[in-house]
Amino acid sequence: MKHCFVRLAALLSLSAILGSCGTGSEAECGQLRVIPYPAHVEVRGGTCDLTKFRTIGCLAGELAGEARFLAARLAEAGIDATVGSEAVARGIMLSLDASIDSPEGYRLRVAPKRIEICGATPAGVFYGIQTLLQELENGAVRCGTVEDAPRYAWRGFMLDEARHFSGEKRVKELLDRMAAYKLNRFHWHLTDAQGWRIEILKYPDLALVGGEGTHSDPDTPAQYYTQAQIRDIVAYAAERHIEVIPEIDMPGHASASNKAYPQYSGGGTAQFPEFTFHVGKEATYAYLTDILREVAALFPSKWLHIGGDEVSYGSDAWKTDPQMKAFMRSKGMTTVEEAEGYFIRRMSDTVRMLGKIPAAWDDVLACGMQVENSLIYWWRHDRPETLRKALAGGYRTVLCPRKPLYFDFVQHEDHKWGRIWDGFCPLEDVYAFPDAWLEGWGLTSDDLAPVAGIHANLWSELTHTPERVDFMIWPRLCALAEAAWSQPETKDYDRFLDRLNDAYARFDRDGVYYFDARDAAHHAEPAGPMIRKKGEPEMDFRD
Ligand code: ACM
């Protein structure tokens, strides 16, 4: 019998396989179709027909969820699989293998009548399943072996729900797609100037009043997630090995909260009214601690993000507020920046007291954020010195610079609805991240040791419809996934573009309005919103 298994020691390296491929298509080259591309691949002759061998066996009780997940996906592909708790000689066997040394690593072996998926943890098995599912074609999978593990532990995406609200159904669809591409962190930007999107039981008006309006229409009735919905979405994400990190932005970007509870407002400027919390009032700390206590209880993630960005947009108001001035005098502070630092350090301690690790945007480095038990998101691409400072200081850091990882920037030179600043964020720049940027940042790959991973952000001012959200995310998130998972020597942009054809086919099947990098005319750029202020007519944001 021709045997399809190969031993790890006998695996050819990917580069050797690539070397023999010339310029043929992935299938012709013995390549997988998978995004993100695995570390080691060997494709052999023959296939395993899952319409015939459709029993799923899993000995480890903790893999029951993975087995059910696989059975449900096979059912969607028209394959009626059965799940059992015994070893199967024919069919798909899921198991744990402590000898796999990466916590998210897996081994997938496909023989004509049997498929084995092993991981050190259920997450590894889940990623092996995702590889299998992407390879499934007409009910069959090619024989061979895959040995795989991620480059970065943090592979994330942030959705801003404050400016425009997506809602439960859309978020679950996003989580499904993130899981398919092995992304494992969903950062949920739930509060900002234009909307408070999470129910807080002690302060119901946060959602009921703070949740009214969007960036484009101030008269939209309140939109927010109830605590029951949040629990459901967090559980849905966990089944897909995605951790949900909530962000409650403070002390800036607080206008929605201040609309509901003005007694905690620290004021703002003419351009950004009521932008800050009042950091000089004890009551504000009690209020925010109450909020964070409810948030901490809802999200099992060990991280809780407290924003900390762009406080200077509103903190000028602190200079003239009598209570603020008295507070600063009592603490011997002479600048509002010192008051900002006091607030960030104190609220970070509150987060730690609640049993979580505070995460914040890189602005907090200037606030004396402590190094241990903190997580910094570097976002200001024009300030590489801030990244250097974070890394040299030993801060655990997530890389998410505007360029190229802000997906509210346009991705094509002809696109009009999105940010352009110092250029834009095309697919190939996302794909080449972070290695192509190191020199410009004045860093080497060794300097990246404290980097937890990489992360793309979608700010939603200009994404008021599902079409616009999808258009800005896809396929850039596929490129981010490969940049986060695959080792630099495994990456190949041309081959990625070829594999992307399968992603486009899945998007077409699922009704995702993606940007088609093959043919920019295929899906026309959906127009952005007409922005309206309360009592004022609509205006085109480009005017
Ligand atoms: C940010 O873009 N204000 C983090």
Side-chain angles (χ1 to χ4, degrees), residues 103-156:
E104 295 180 296
Y106 67 91
R107 184 173 56 244
L108 165 66
R109 288 173 168 162
V110 181
K113 296 177 185 164
R114 192 164 189 266
I115 294 176
E116 290 178 356
I117 304 176
C118 304
T121 64
V125 172
F126 184 78
Y127 295 133
I129 289 172
Q130 294 298 355
T131 295
L132 178 79
L133 291 172
Q134 282 194 37
E135 274 295 299
L136 190 65
E137 196 172 8
N138 299 326
V141 187
R142 289 176 292 163
C143 291
T145 301
V146 176
E147 300 264 354
D148 200 9
R151 177 180 188 185
Y152 289 117
W154 186 291
R155 306 179 300 279

Side-chain angles (χ1 to χ4, degrees), residues 309-310 361 379 406 459:
D309 55 322
E310 299 174 324
W361 302 106
W379 65 280
Y406 269 29
W459 301 101

Side-chain angles (χ1 to χ4, degrees), residues 278-290:
H278 199 301
V279 307
K281 278 186 188 170
E282 266 315 296
T284 306
Y285 293 92
Y287 169 67
L288 292 175
T289 302
D290 288 342

Side-chain angles (χ1 to χ4, degrees), residues 18 431 482 488-497 499:
L18 287 174
Y431 190 80
E482 188 146 318
E489 56 277 16
T490 308
K491 285 164 66 181
D492 180 311
Y493 187 59
D494 289 335
R495 290 196 182 283
F496 167 74
L497 288 181
R499 283 179 277 122

